[in-house]
Amino acid sequence: MADLLYERINTNVRKYSSFSEEDLQYFNSLLQHRTVPKKHFLLQEGEVCTFEAYLLKGCIRTYHIDHDGNEVTLQFAIEDWWVSDIISFHEQKPSHWYIETLEDCELLILTPETKEQLLHRVPAFERMFRLMVQRNLSQLQERFFRTVSSTAVDKYLDFLNRYPAIPQRVAQHYIASYLGFTPEFLSKVRRKLSTPNPPKS
């Protein structure tokens, strides 16, 4: 049963580097298995992030509340994704973000202490986490470019193409906040896409 619990995360980390069975057994021994109910905050603004979590089951949203009280969604995460506030986790500084479960979730968690033990014992994990950070940075840069260079329709279509499973699992106003739209504007975009050969104005 324990082997099945760690099978997916072991497959995930092997995408980034080669690990022996002994390496993976040690890695697995450091992970905390946690179940978290829907609508629970894993992190709130002002708190220090104490986890890097691999999502076995569920859906999670990371967002910020701006000065006008609007929620700005940074990221959605579903199965086989990692979730954390990297800056707060590594620098042990208060976070600017909220990380909230949108569904009942099952997680495997590293703390700052257990991650340090892991990197000391198995240095190859340093490369894995570095590659993960590079990938995330690349995705954020691409997202910024699309934000300033794409039309609203193209932004929405790109979101659907990149994350086809997410729209079925999260509320539309969360997607709007991810895209930088109001919910009303997203509704207009969706209506435009659903109208065959809309008349030109």
Side-chain angles (χ1 to χ4, degrees):
M1 187 69 177
D3 289 343
L4 291 176
L5 179 65
Y6 301 117
E7 182 178 357
R8 279 171 39 201
I9 194 171
N10 290 345
T11 299
N12 181 273
V13 300
R14 278 176 164 147
K15 294 177 182 177
Y16 297 93
S17 191
S18 298
F19 299 100
S20 68
E21 286 302 319
E22 183 181 356
D23 291 340
L24 292 174
Q25 287 176 10
Y26 181 69
F27 170 52
N28 296 162
S29 74
L30 296 174
L31 295 168
Q32 299 175 9
H33 180 233
R34 184 179 173 193
T35 56
V36 183
K38 178 180 179 179
K39 291 295 181 181
H40 176 84
F41 285 106
L42 298 172
L43 180 70
Q44 297 192 63
E45 184 178 10
E47 297 178 347
V48 174
C49 183
T50 59
F51 63 87
E52 286 190 343
Y54 179 81
L55 191 50
L56 288 171
K57 176 185 176 183
C59 183
I60 289 173
R61 179 172 74 115
T62 300
Y63 67 96
H64 173 68
I65 299 178
D66 67 18
H67 294 299
D68 296 320
N70 300 310
E71 295 182 359
V72 181
T73 298
L74 173 70
Q75 181 188 49
F76 299 106
I78 55 175
E79 289 80 7
D80 301 319
W81 292 22
W82 288 82
V83 179
S84 183
D85 177 339
I86 295 174
I87 294 175
S88 178
F89 179 86
H90 284 285
E91 300 182 11
Q92 289 297 280
K93 294 169 54 175
S95 177
H96 299 296
W97 300 97
Y98 294 85
I99 301 180
E100 181 184 18
T101 60
L102 300 181
E103 300 173 354
D104 293 342
C105 291
E106 189 175 356
L107 308 167
L108 293 172
I109 291 173
L110 284 173
T111 66
E113 294 76 22
T114 54
K115 184 176 181 181
E116 186 63 29
Q117 293 172 36
L118 176 65
L119 299 183
H120 178 74
R121 172 87 169 261
V122 191
F125 274 96
E126 186 83 56
R127 167 182 165 79
M128 186 209 81
F129 284 109
R130 175 171 53 81
L131 291 174
M132 283 174 49
V133 169
Q134 289 176 352
R135 186 189 67 174
N136 288 339
L137 177 59
S138 175
Q139 290 174 344
L140 285 173
Q141 289 177 331
E142 286 184 17
R143 179 180 171 189
F144 175 76
F145 177 77
R146 293 193 302 272
T147 297
V148 299
S149 64
S150 301
T151 66
V153 169
D154 287 342
K155 288 178 192 176
Y156 182 60
L157 290 175
D158 181 74
F159 175 81
L160 296 179
N161 182 58
R162 288 174 182 270
Y163 310 111
I166 289 178
Q168 315 304 320
R169 300 174 65 172
V170 307
Q172 289 298 309
H173 65 275
Y174 291 154
I175 296 175
S177 74
Y178 177 90
L179 294 171
F181 301 164
T182 63
E184 295 76 17
F185 186 72
L186 177 58
S187 294
K188 290 180 181 178
V189 170
R190 296 179 69 207
R191 283 198 300 271
K192 182 176 182 179
L193 288 170
S194 66
T195 304
N197 301 319
K200 295 181 179 180
S201 55

